C-alpha cells in the first residue's frame, strides 16, 4: 500500500521560439491571404524555430513550470515528453531534457499521440503518481512542426506553429487535482493525418530517390475537421460523467488549439458560452502537443482563469487519437508568471 492517492498540479509553463511568421508573411510565400487564413482557422500568426529545437523549447518550458511550482530538478523522479516531432528518434526528448535541467533522479521517456499527446502524458503521469510509483513528475508537450511542413503547401503550412508547454505534478496524501481522465484512439483513421517518411517508409540506404515530399505533414483537413467536431463533444460528456460532474460544473474548456471554427462548433453543440472557452491559436497557431499548457498559461496570464477553477482539457489529433481530463486548477505561482 502507498500513501499517495492524489495528484496535485503544482505548476505550468511554456516556451515559444523568437521568430514570428504572420499571415502577411505567408501571403508572400504561397497563394493565400490573411482573410482566408483568419476566416477559416482564426490564426493570425505563429512562432517558428530558427536555432531553437524540440529539446531547447521543452527545456525552457520545463524550467518555467518548475519555477512556477517552486521545485528543483533533483526532486523530479519522472519526466514524460509528449512529442511527434522529436529532434532524434532516440535518445528520447525526455532524456535530453533530463540532461539539460540536471534531473539526475528521474526516469525519462517520450509519448507519441500527436496533438493529443499532452492529454495522454498527463493521464500516464497521473497513473504513476496514484499507484505510488512516482512523487514529482514533469510532463511536457512539445512540437516543432515547422521542420516537417512543406512551406509550399498552403493546405498545411498556414496551420502549425512551434512551441512547448509543461506541467509539474506531485503526489499528495490529501488532495487531488486530476478528477477524471479519458483517452481513446482509432487507428483505422491513421492515414488521414501523418508524416509518412519514417521507419517502414524510409528509403533504403543508397537509394537515390529520397521522396522528399513524404517528409512532410499530410492531412485530409476536412476529415480531421469533421472528426474533431464530432468526437470532442462526446469526449467532454464522457469525462464529465467520469468525474460525476455536469457540463455546467466546468468553469473553463481548454480545447486543443487547431482551429477557431472547431472550438466554436464544439461550444455551440454543447451550449457553452464563449467566455468559458480559452483561445490562443490566433497568436500561436496549432502548436500540437504544446497547445493545451500554452493556452492554460495564457489564460492565467491574462486573468481569464483564476485559481481555483475546474477545467476540461481536451485533445485530438493524429492516430487518430483523442482524450480529455477534468482538472481542478488551484496552483498558485511560487514566482510570477
Ligand atoms: N489559402 C487559400 N486557399 C486555400 C488555402 C489557403 N491557405 N488552403 C486551402 N485553400 C483552398 C482549397 O484549395 C480549396 O479550394 P477549391 O475549393 O478551389 O478546391 C478551398 O480553399 C477550400 O478548402 P477546404 O479544404 O474546403 O477548406 P476548409 O474550410 O475545410 O478549411 C482547414 C481547411 C482549415 C484545413 C480545415 O479543414 C481544418 O481546420 N481542418 C482540421 C485540420 C486540423 O486541425 N489539423 C490538425 C490536427 S491536430 C494534429 O494531430 C497534428
Amino acid at each position: 500500500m502507498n500513501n499517495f492517492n492524489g495528484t496535485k498540479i503544482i505548476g505550468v509553463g511554456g516556451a515559444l521560439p523568437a521568430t514570428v511568421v504572420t499571415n502577411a508573411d505567408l501571403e508572400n510565400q504561397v497563394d493565400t491571404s490573411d482573410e482566408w487564413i483568419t476566416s477559416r482557422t482564426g490564426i493570425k500568426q505563429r512562432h517558428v524555430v530558427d536555432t531553437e529545437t524540440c529539446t531547447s523549447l521543452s527545456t525552457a518550458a520545463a524550467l518555467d513550470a518548475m519555477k512556477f511550482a517552486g521545485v528543483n530538478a533533483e526532486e523530479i523522479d519522472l519526466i514524460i515528453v509528449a512529442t511527434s516531432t522529436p529532434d532524434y528518434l532516440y535518445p528520447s526528448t525526455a532524456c535530453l531534457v533530463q540532461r539539460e535541467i540536471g534531473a539526475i533522479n528521474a526516469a525519462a521517456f517520450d509519448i507519441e499521440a500527436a496533438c493529443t499527446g499532452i492529454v495522454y502524458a498527463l493521464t500516464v503521469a497521473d497513473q504513476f503518481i496514484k499507484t505510488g510509483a512516482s512523487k514529482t513528475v514533469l510532463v511536457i508537450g512539445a512540437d516543432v512542426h515547422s521542420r516537417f511542413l512543406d512551406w509550399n503547401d498552403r493546405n498545411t503550412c498556414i496551420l502549425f506553429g512551434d512551441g512547448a508547454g509543461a506541467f509539474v505534478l506531485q503526489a499528495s496524501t490529501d488532495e487531488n487535482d486530476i478528477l477524471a481522465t479519458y483517452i481513446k484512439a482509432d487507428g483505422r483513421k491513421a492515414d488521414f493525418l501523418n508524416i509518412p517518411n519514417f521507419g517502414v517508409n524510409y528509403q533504403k540506404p543508397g537509394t537515390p530517390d529520397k521522396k522528399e515530399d513524404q517528409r512532410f505533414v499530410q492531412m485530409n483537413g476536412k476529415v480531421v475537421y469533421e472528426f474533431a467536431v464530432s468526437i470532442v463533444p462526446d469526449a467532454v460528456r464522457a469525462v464529465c460523467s467520469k468525474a460525476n460532474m455536469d457540463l455546467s460544473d466546468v468553469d473553463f474548456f481548454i480545447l486543443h488549439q487547431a482551429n477557431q471554427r472547431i472550438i466554436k462548433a464544439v461550444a455551440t453543440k454543447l451550449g457553452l458560452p464563449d467566455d468559458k472557452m480559452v483561445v490562443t491559436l490566433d497568436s500561436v497557431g496549432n502548436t500540437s502537443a504544446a497547445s493545451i499548457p500554452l493556452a492554460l498559461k495564457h489564460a492565467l496570464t491574462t486573468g481569464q482563469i483564476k485559481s481555483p477553477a475546474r477545467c476540461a482539457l481536451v485533445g485530438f489529433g493524429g492516430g487518430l487519437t483523442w482524450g480529455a481530463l477534468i482538472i481542478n486548477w488551484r496552483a498558485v505561482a511560487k514566482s510570477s508568471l
Side-chain angles (χ1 to χ4, degrees), residues 149-167:
L149 288 173
D150 177 354
W151 287 93
N152 296 311
D153 174 14
R154 67 179 184 173
N155 291 296
T156 51
C157 77
I158 57 140
L159 295 174
F160 293 94
D162 302 330
F167 290 99

Side-chain angles (χ1 to χ4, degrees), residues 26 30-37 39-43 84 112-117 143 145 153-160 192-195 217-228 256-262 286-289 315-321:
L26 290 176
V30 287
D31 181 14
T32 191
S33 65
D34 174 47
E35 194 282 320
W36 193 97
I37 301 171
S39 63
R40 298 298 175 111
T41 71
I43 298 165
S84 42
E112 204 277 90
C115 299
T116 321
D143 272 306
H145 266 96
D153 174 14
R154 67 179 184 173
N155 291 296
T156 51
C157 77
I158 57 140
L159 295 174
F160 293 94
F192 291 126
L193 181 57
N194 60 15
I195 302 177
V217 171
Q218 300 187 4
M219 179 184 76
N220 184 325
K222 270 196 170 31
V223 169
V224 176
Y225 184 94
E226 281 157 19
F227 150 77
H256 167 51
Q257 306 281 303
N259 186 320
Q260 173 61 31
R261 287 191 300 154
I262 293 175
N286 175 352
T287 56
S288 195
F316 55 90
L320 296 177
T321 52

Side-chain angles (χ1 to χ4, degrees), residues 184-334:
K184 301 289 271 186
D186 185 355
R188 292 171 301 181
K189 300 194 173 100
D191 295 339
F192 291 126
L193 181 57
N194 60 15
I195 302 177
N197 203 11
F198 280 95
V200 72
N201 286 326
Y202 234 129
Q203 294 300 104
K204 215 169 140 187
T207 310
D209 170 18
K210 277 272 194 192
K211 289 195 183 164
E212 272 293 328
D213 58 323
Q214 290 205 13
R215 174 187 152 180
F216 303 124
V217 171
Q218 300 187 4
M219 179 184 76
N220 184 325
K222 270 196 170 31
V223 169
V224 176
Y225 184 94
E226 281 157 19
F227 150 77
V229 170
S230 90
I231 59 87
V232 170
D234 292 348
V236 171
R237 286 195 199 95
V239 79
C240 281
S241 158
K242 284 182 87 173
N244 288 319
M245 285 167 57
D246 293 327
L247 275 181
S248 57
D249 296 327
V250 180
D251 300 314
F252 293 98
F253 294 82
I254 308 178
L255 273 50
H256 167 51
Q257 306 281 303
N259 186 320
Q260 173 61 31
R261 287 191 300 154
I262 293 175
I263 295 174
K264 185 76 198 154
V266 169
T268 303
K269 268 192 166 183
L270 292 173
L272 308 174
D274 285 350
D275 61 1
K276 283 194 170 192
M277 312 305 290
V278 174
V279 177
T280 51
L281 51 75
D282 51 331
S283 58
V284 296
N286 175 352
T287 56
S288 195
S291 84
I292 288 173
L294 283 175
L296 173 60
K297 182 178 166 168
H298 175 83
L300 293 170
T301 309
T302 60
Q304 182 186 4
I305 295 181
K306 291 181 185 64
S307 179
R310 276 168 298 191
C311 304
L313 316 183
V314 193
F316 55 90
L320 296 177
T321 52
W322 64 102
L325 296 102
I326 301 286
I327 66 163
N328 198 6
W329 177 262
R330 50 186 168 169
V332 177
K334 295 281 186 293

